[in-house]
Amino acid sequence: MTDDASTPAPESAGPPEPAEPELAPYLIEEARSSRSRCRTCRKKIEKGKLRLGVLLEGPYGTGYIWHHLTCAARRRLEDVEAAYAQPAFEEGLKVPSIEKLRGLQEKAEKERAERKELPYVEKAPTGRSKCKHCGEGIEQDSFRVVLGREVEFGSQVRTGPINVHAKCVADELDAEDCATEVEGFAAALHAHSGLDAAAVDAALAEIGPLDS
């Protein structure tokens, strides 16, 4: 006796799906839109501007995080040099020479080394700056006090410098987002400013008494 029940034939697996192309560790290209943001300066990367992509493997997949090419040169030159050695850009793309980008990094390092520690006081070199507390202009050759203010960048909080009138210092130090302490303020102003002691004392006189 024969068994009329037929055994279904195994389904054909079909051709294997093509593997996704492996991404290179770096990519230099002109931004295809204005939607990406630079992870260094946090500003938008405009369409057509050169950007450096650094490959990142995260919990949701693998992709590039983007930087302006010039921002990357100032802050993470080792990635730029590795991208140029790869090379990470298509033939024919106009990119600056690596020597020029190294020059940007050297200039940025020099500027960071010369940057004064907060707080400090100086004479305003022009009349173009405005007080970040009251919004009014700071006159040329008047005392301009530079304090620290907390600024949020996504999930990070950084301290950035702000210019204020001497007369506005006391009120600014009371602000919730002010990163400069009242305690030790006068000593810090003397230590960090490029003015002589008499000039700093004159600025402190304009600032007036501070509540600790």
Side-chain angles (χ1 to χ4, degrees):
M1 183 175 178
T2 59
D3 189 352
D4 291 335
S6 60
T7 302
E11 292 184 5
S12 173
E17 293 185 3
E20 293 186 5
E22 187 175 345
L23 297 174
Y26 300 100
L27 175 63
I28 294 174
E29 65 175 13
E30 292 179 343
R32 303 171 192 177
S33 68
S34 298
R35 294 193 299 270
S36 62
R37 285 191 177 273
C38 173
R39 288 297 184 93
T40 301
C41 72
R42 303 288 176 172
K43 295 180 181 178
K44 186 184 297 184
I45 302 176
E46 298 293 343
K47 182 179 179 181
K49 293 291 185 181
L50 287 173
R51 64 182 184 177
L52 168 69
V54 180
L55 191 64
L56 178 68
E57 294 184 8
Y60 303 108
T62 302
Y64 291 111
I65 57 172
W66 298 104
H67 308 262
H68 289 108
L69 181 58
T70 50
C71 286
R74 293 184 179 97
R75 284 285 184 176
R76 44 195 311 157
L77 183 66
E78 65 279 1
D79 284 325
V80 176
E81 290 178 329
Y84 270 61
Q86 191 177 305
F89 45 87
E90 294 183 355
E91 187 176 353
L93 182 66
K94 292 183 178 180
V95 296
S97 68
I98 191 64
E99 289 76 17
K100 183 175 181 180
L101 296 176
R102 285 172 179 152
L104 290 178
Q105 192 256 0
E106 291 173 1
K107 181 180 178 182
E109 280 195 347
K110 183 179 179 182
E111 289 174 351
R112 286 192 289 270
E114 293 175 348
R115 193 173 298 159
K116 295 177 182 176
E117 189 175 350
L118 302 177
Y120 62 89
V121 63
E122 62 187 3
K123 289 293 189 74
T126 69
R128 295 194 297 268
S129 62
K130 288 188 176 182
C131 175
K132 290 294 184 179
H133 183 80
C134 70
E136 296 180 1
I138 300 176
E139 293 183 6
Q140 184 177 6
D141 291 328
S142 65
F143 287 121
R144 182 171 69 181
V145 184
V146 185
L147 306 176
R149 176 181 286 180
E150 293 181 347
V151 182
E152 291 187 8
F153 287 91
S155 60
Q156 297 180 337
V157 178
R158 301 179 185 176
T159 298
I162 61 166
N163 300 323
V164 297
H165 291 115
K167 65 182 181 181
C168 294
V169 167
D171 289 338
E172 180 60 32
L173 289 174
D174 285 337
E176 187 176 346
D177 58 354
C178 183
T180 299
E181 299 290 338
V182 174
E183 186 176 354
F185 178 80
L189 214 63
H190 273 285
H192 304 158
S193 304
L195 303 177
D196 59 40
V200 177
D201 285 337
L204 288 168
E206 282 193 27
I207 291 169
L210 300 175
D211 295 330
S212 56

